[in-house]
Amino acid sequence: MKDEITREERVDNLKGMGCSRKRVEDARFTQGKGNYVDDIKLDGMLFGDFVRSPYAHARIKSIDTTAALEVPGVLAVLTAADLEPLGLHWMPTLAGDKQMVLADGKVLFQGQEVAYVVAEDRYAAADGIELVEVEYEELPVIVNPFESLKSDVVLREDLVAEDGSIPDGAHGPRKHPNHIFTWDAGDKDPTEEVIANAEVVAEETMYYHRTHPCPLETCGCVASMDKVNGKLTLWGTFQAPHAIRTVVSLISGIEEHNIRVISPDIGGGFGNKVGAYPGYVCSVVASIVTGKPVKWIEDRMDNLMTTAFARDYHMTGKISATKEGKITGLHCHVTADHGGFDACADPTKFPAGFMNICTGSYDIPTAYLEVEGVYTNKAPGGVSYRCSFRVTEAVYFIERMIEVLAIELNMDAAELRRINFIKKEQFPYTAALGWEYDSGDYHTAWDKALKTVDYDGLRTEQAQRVEDFKAGKTRKLMGIGLSFFTEIVGAGPVKNCDILGLGMFDSCEIRIHPTGSAIARLGTISQGQGHATTFAQILASEIGLPADSITIEEGDTDTAPYGLGTYGSRSTPVAGAATAMAGRKIRAKAQMIAAYLLEVHDNDVEFDVDRFVVKGAPEKFKTMKEIAFAAYNQAIPGIEPGLEAVSYYDPPNMTYPFGAYVCVMDIDVDTGVTEIRRFYALDDCGTRINPMIIEGQVHGGLTEALAVALGQEIAYDDMGNVKTGTLMDFFLPTAWEVPNYETDFTVTPSPHHPIGAKGVGESPHVGGVPCFSNAVQDAFRPFGNRHTNMPHDHWRIWRTANELGLHD
Ligand code: MCN
Ligand code: CUM
């Protein structure tokens, strides 16, 4: 036998789990060789674009397309009247509501799609748009959800019966024409009783403002109907290509096997690309009508003003505790502004997403949550932007309530957290609002974080700074932002999570080629997360072939197994599990082949890194490469040729990643300028597949958190005009604003996931926003601040300082 490399070298050669393997995608991306939807150019391809409403609420009196149709290059102008005979003037939303594809009688938000101009190119379409004459009659505008629930102005006339009664919505009874649903969780009366009789109660009202994920690539698609073979191909920026295929089939009547949906490279999704948009429907219709491919690509303003926004939650909390700081109850009321249509991309049974994880990382015995969804004259959406289905809002809420309670108790907020954490031995832990947390070790993570940043030292320094400020020696305050978060990701068990009735499992199909390389296809789709890198690593460890010899393919519904897509940090928890399970099926068959080749019983061989060895005789082995070849060239009794496997994985539970973040911030009280001196992020996402990719996810998520906490918002004026619809007004941080993040980790595997991995993609955002916000709030705590709303831009911080009398 020739000289063997060591076992350690064999492990390294695989580049399997735990390895900071370089992203295989990047050779393409960094050399301009990506293939995004706008790179798709087909013969005779047309371009479609929208006439959009300048008004937030108006009746459409008439639409005249004559002049537009005379523009050279303009071929057609679609309006709701054209779509109505096809039943396509409205479409279902993911939240059980319906949404206008093109304005049907009225418009409900600024930028709403009114008509679709199809032309030979983008420029002719733009000229056509200018000449479509729409006569609007302005209606009273409602941008405040509280006023909406009191108003006589009916926003959704389609949801009021002729006799004036209000039919139930998708989530139960509605109490007002502008009310969408009331959803609750937990025990109302016991919670109220605990709070009424508590030794200490803190109350606070906070607004998690509306913002937008603003991916670098906007949304778009290319629809191509081949009338000869009856096949529709739809390329697009879809985070859930299979679900889009099913929806397109259901609403168009085209049989599902005749629809091929392809998500090519996606330039960031962040939840913005989960739902279905009028642009997709209109492009498909236009392609069917013209017989030519039709492309639709949003511009930046279209994207910011009309596609899935994030948050817009008005939250009121009450938290009760003993004098010693042991939390006894939590009450949360939310008024959720959903805009003109309820298009939240939540699992069907959860109209407020996973907001009912708002008890956070704490052992809170009694809790109650009530969420009211409300229509206003704003764009639809609400569930996007690294949100884990509203865990962003839930964690912001509880992490602010903890800080406010600490003020009420006159206690250190780090200590208050520590004494209320769910203890390691309490897992699996069932929270008061119903979720079963799979695993956690919060105290270890918290202690590590506080020790690393020298928390006590920071508090001493801060106290000195307050003294110096009062003595007139400095104009800068120091804030220590803390946050501890628990997420719920990996939707999810089919028994309680579905989207439009499609259970939220996921899938992986593997084919091993004779020479020992492989292709694996998944039901998910990367938008920048690096799946081609990391899923190959899972397989490398499971099947013993090098990650470099494994191609990962996603996003083509003609080839990939059915899956529910990538959002809610579900790819690793669900498709990652499917990948491991499919790998194990490969391994089980490989074991039989190896035993046959080695002439021993199946049970007498065992897997070792990249081979099966005879137990007790390590010099007798067959490598996976040899086994792969044998699968194709040997007739093995009782075993089919080939080496393939597929797994559809329905997870038994979601996974519960967590983390401990600390931000140290200096604030100039005269200018409101913030300077982040230090940001420490400890994440526990269970077993780590690729530490470098995790770090990249954390850096990206924290930067988006910084944006949201410190300035980014979608703001409306009273007329419903979007005030921040361009990148001149919408804050997008650059390298200039971004600090040097310190990342750290602990590893608490998920007990039910085949490789113990939890998701991580949204964690840094979920934990980051309250951490940045708490830093600002903490700087002003010594001067009487309890709570101020985000975004903490320079002006608002200056105003806080002013209101606290710090400019006197
Ligand atoms: N990973 C790992 N080890 C773990 C967990 C994850 O190495 N224990 C790796 C994964 O294998 C994957 C990446 O980290 O390569 C993210 O995995 P996961 O947490 O499973 O999240 P998803 O792949 O499902 O991505 C979705 C998540 C969401 S919901 C948003 S929003 C978001 C995010 O990812 N959008 C992103 N991160 C993004 N990153 C980029 N570049 N672009 C986006 O649009
Ligand atoms: Cu909530 S944003 Mo991600 O789930 O695509």
Side-chain angles (χ1 to χ4, degrees):
M1 179 122 289
K2 67 179 184 329
D3 258 347
E4 251 270 59
I5 57 171
T6 65
R7 187 171 188 279
E8 206 171 284
E9 285 166 331
R10 289 196 278 123
V11 171
D12 288 349
N13 284 346
L14 293 181
K15 297 191 191 159
M17 292 211 308
C19 164
S20 282
R21 181 184 187 218
K22 282 196 181 158
R23 284 166 45 107
V24 297
E25 293 91 339
D26 289 349
R28 219 166 72 244
F29 293 156
T30 54
Q31 294 178 53
K33 301 288 184 198
N35 181 39
Y36 298 92
V37 64
D38 203 20
D39 293 324
I40 290 163
K41 295 184 173 76
L42 304 175
D43 264 0
M45 189 171 75
L46 306 175
F47 193 89
D49 204 355
F50 287 107
V51 174
R52 294 181 180 276
S53 170
Y55 298 107
H57 196 197
R59 209 165 292 290
I60 307 251
K61 307 288 281 184
S62 64
I63 302 177
D64 185 350
T65 61
T66 328
L69 284 167
E70 279 165 16
V71 172
V74 171
L75 302 176
V77 181
L78 299 177
T79 63
D82 302 310
L83 298 181
E84 186 169 359
L86 308 168
L88 292 176
H89 55 319
W90 289 72
M91 62 179 183
T93 71
L94 295 179
D97 195 1
K98 55 186 180 134
Q99 173 175 354
M100 290 178 214
V101 173
L102 290 171
D104 183 23
K106 72 191 291 199
V107 286
L108 287 159
F109 63 93
Q110 188 182 53
Q112 188 179 328
E113 300 80 1
V114 174
Y116 186 72
V117 176
V118 188
E120 279 166 5
D121 58 46
R122 181 158 206 148
Y123 309 100
D127 291 343
I129 287 168
E130 290 291 312
L131 294 180
V132 174
E133 280 170 37
V134 186
E135 198 189 332
Y136 296 95
E137 179 190 303
E138 285 185 70
L139 295 168
V141 172
I142 308 177
V143 289
N144 178 313
F146 299 99
E147 280 166 25
S148 187
L149 285 181
K150 287 184 269 174
S151 177
D152 296 334
V153 179
V154 175
L155 300 182
R156 290 288 299 276
E157 287 154 356
D158 60 301
L159 298 180
V160 178
E162 268 173 30
D163 65 2
S165 65
I166 305 167
D168 285 1
H171 305 287
R174 296 161 56 230
K175 61 184 180 188
H176 181 279
N178 300 336
H179 174 232
I180 309 172
F181 63 81
T182 296
W183 182 70
D184 71 350
D187 302 317
K188 189 170 196 279
D189 294 340
T191 303
E192 282 171 1
E193 202 180 310
V194 165
I195 292 173
N197 298 318
E199 290 174 358
V200 182
V201 178
E203 283 189 51
E204 194 51 74
T205 294
M206 61 193 85
Y207 176 46
Y208 198 146
H209 59 293
R210 181 177 277 236
T211 182
H212 194 284
C214 192
L216 281 187
E217 177 202 32
T218 59
C219 300
C221 71
V222 175
S224 179
M225 183 72 204
D226 182 335
K227 289 194 172 169
V228 176
N229 63 21
K231 189 141 182 160
L232 170 71
T233 307
L234 183 62
W235 291 262
T237 48
F238 311 127
Q239 287 183 237
H242 282 98
I244 290 282
R245 185 184 73 188
T246 302
V247 171
V248 170
S249 176
L250 290 173
I251 68 179
S252 71
I254 302 171
E255 276 195 275
E256 206 164 347
H257 74 287
N258 278 331
I259 302 171
R260 179 178 185 186
V261 174
I262 301 175
S263 296
D265 287 329
I266 297 181
F270 307 111
N272 185 237
K273 297 169 177 171
V274 177
Y277 294 121
Y280 306 159
V281 179
C282 289
S283 304
V284 169
V285 172
S287 180
I288 292 171
V289 170
T290 62
K292 295 191 170 170
V294 178
K295 178 185 277 186
W296 166 71
I297 305 282
E298 289 175 332
D299 68 19
R300 181 58 58 194
M301 286 179 72
D302 296 341
N303 181 256
L304 281 173
M305 289 172 62
T306 69
T307 55
F309 75 92
R311 330 288 187 248
D312 217 340
Y313 257 34
H314 297 262
M315 305 182 281
T316 299
K318 284 183 211 159
I319 189 165
S320 63
T322 63
K323 286 200 291 285
E324 294 73 36
K326 184 81 193 80
I327 301 171
T328 53
L330 180 73
H331 189 287
C332 178
H333 182 274
V334 180
T335 301
D337 186 338
H338 289 250
F341 306 96
D342 184 5
C344 288
D346 287 314
T348 305
K349 290 179 194 127
F350 299 94
F354 301 153
M355 183 65 199
N356 58 336
I357 192 162
C358 66
T359 51
S361 316
Y362 311 103
D363 184 13
I364 302 181
T366 334
Y368 180 67
L369 164 75
E370 185 179 63
V371 183
E372 286 186 296
V374 184
Y375 291 119
T376 60
N377 291 120
K378 297 182 184 175
V383 175
S384 72
Y385 211 178
R386 285 186 134 120
C387 67
S388 305
F389 301 120
R390 304 273 187 198
V391 181
T392 32
E393 288 90 323
V395 170
Y396 187 73
F397 170 77
I398 185 66
E399 290 304 288
R400 286 299 307 138
M401 290 310 294
I402 289 280
E403 294 282 322
V404 172
L405 179 63
I407 293 171
E408 200 69 46
L409 288 160
N410 194 22
M411 197 171 164
D412 176 78
E415 183 58 18
L416 179 59
R417 284 179 175 83
R418 187 199 314 273
I419 60 179
N420 286 289
F421 280 144
I422 301 159
K423 295 187 192 70
K424 190 179 167 184
E425 55 276 15
Q426 286 176 280
F427 292 92
Y429 171 86
T430 304
L433 296 178
W435 296 116
E436 187 189 286
Y437 295 22
D438 61 348
S439 64
D441 183 354
Y442 301 166
H443 286 95
T444 300
W446 197 229
D447 290 344
K448 187 175 186 192
L450 298 185
K451 189 162 173 249
T452 309
V453 301
D454 181 21
Y455 180 69
D456 293 338
L458 287 172
R459 283 291 177 209
T460 310
E461 186 190 341
Q462 185 190 38
Q464 183 60 47
R465 186 74 75 84
V466 171
E467 297 273 296
D468 290 351
F469 182 86
K470 286 180 176 162
K473 290 188 207 159
T474 178
R475 295 296 289 163
K476 281 192 181 173
L477 298 178
M478 176 179 160
I480 304 168
L482 304 174
S483 80
F484 196 99
F485 66 92
T486 298
E487 274 215 279
I488 169 167
V489 301
V494 170
K495 65 177 185 289
N496 56 20
C497 287
D498 71 272
I499 289 226
L500 291 176
L502 302 163
M504 295 178 77
F505 59 85
D506 227 290
S507 58
C508 173
E509 182 200 277
I510 307 169
R511 293 184 188 173
I512 312 284
H513 310 314
T515 50
S517 68
I519 183 165
R521 297 188 169 104
L522 284 79
T524 44
I525 173 72
S526 191
Q527 309 126 39
Q529 294 90 344
H531 291 177
T533 306
T534 50
F535 288 124
Q537 292 182 253
I538 297 178
L539 276 181
S541 292
E542 289 291 340
I543 65 178
L545 293 174
D548 290 344
S549 303
I550 302 169
T551 297
I552 299 289
E553 201 183 270
E554 299 177 310
D556 182 342
T557 59
D558 262 12
T559 55
Y562 204 104
L564 270 288
T566 291
Y567 43 85
S569 305
R570 65 186 297 281
S571 304
T572 304
V574 193
T579 303
M581 297 308 265
R584 287 171 196 185
K585 290 183 188 178
I586 296 275
R587 213 161 80 188
K589 183 168 176 182
Q591 178 164 2
M592 294 192 279
I593 298 172
Y596 173 80
L597 298 174
L598 291 162
E599 298 180 358
V600 295
H601 190 271
D602 290 357
N603 293 336
D604 292 335
V605 291
E606 62 188 355
F607 187 69
D608 181 48
V609 185
D610 57 356
R611 62 193 56 184
F612 276 96
V613 298
V614 175
K615 286 180 187 165
E619 71 289 355
K620 288 189 188 159
F621 63 85
K622 287 288 168 191
T623 64
M624 283 300 293
K625 214 171 148 76
E626 292 169 320
I627 295 167
F629 198 65
Y632 288 88
N633 87 331
Q634 301 235 0
I636 304 174
I639 297 180
E640 285 179 11
L643 196 48
E644 301 189 3
V646 57
S647 165
Y648 287 84
Y649 189 79
D650 177 11
N653 189 3
M654 283 180 254
T655 67
Y656 295 74
F658 57 92
Y661 292 0
V662 183
C663 172
V664 186
M665 189 186 274
D666 290 312
I667 298 178
D668 184 325
V669 296
D670 295 318
T671 60
V673 171
T674 48
E675 212 177 297
I676 296 148
R677 206 200 300 169
R678 192 164 183 193
F679 198 103
Y680 170 88
L682 179 152
D683 272 276
D684 191 320
C685 55
T687 306
R688 290 149 50 91
I689 300 158
N690 183 322
M692 185 162 64
I693 287 207
I694 293 172
E695 190 176 19
Q697 286 293 311
V698 173
H699 283 204
L702 288 177
T703 299
E704 291 181 327
L706 178 151
V708 170
L710 300 185
Q712 195 174 76
E713 67 175 319
I714 295 290
Y716 287 82
D717 70 11
D718 290 345
M719 303 287 287
N721 296 306
V722 180
K723 296 198 287 179
T724 52
T726 77
L727 294 184
M728 292 288 284
D729 310 294
F730 185 81
F731 170 49
L732 212 60
T734 62
W736 177 253
E737 288 92 356
V738 175
N740 189 20
Y741 303 116
E742 292 166 56
T743 58
D744 202 349
F745 63 98
T746 53
V747 175
T748 311
S750 165
H752 61 77
H753 188 284
I755 57 171
K758 303 180 178 185
V760 78
E762 297 168 304
S763 301
H765 194 91
V766 166
V769 174
C771 190
F772 286 111
S773 179
N774 280 345
V776 173
Q777 320 261 7
D778 181 71
F780 292 107
R781 176 175 166 175
F783 303 92
N785 175 59
R786 258 173 86 95
H787 175 81
T788 60
N789 282 329
M790 296 187 291
H792 306 294
D793 54 19
H794 300 166
W795 175 73
R796 285 185 177 90
I797 291 179
W798 180 91
R799 193 181 57 184
T800 300
N802 194 264
E803 282 166 4
L804 293 171
L806 303 184
H807 296 151
D808 302 342

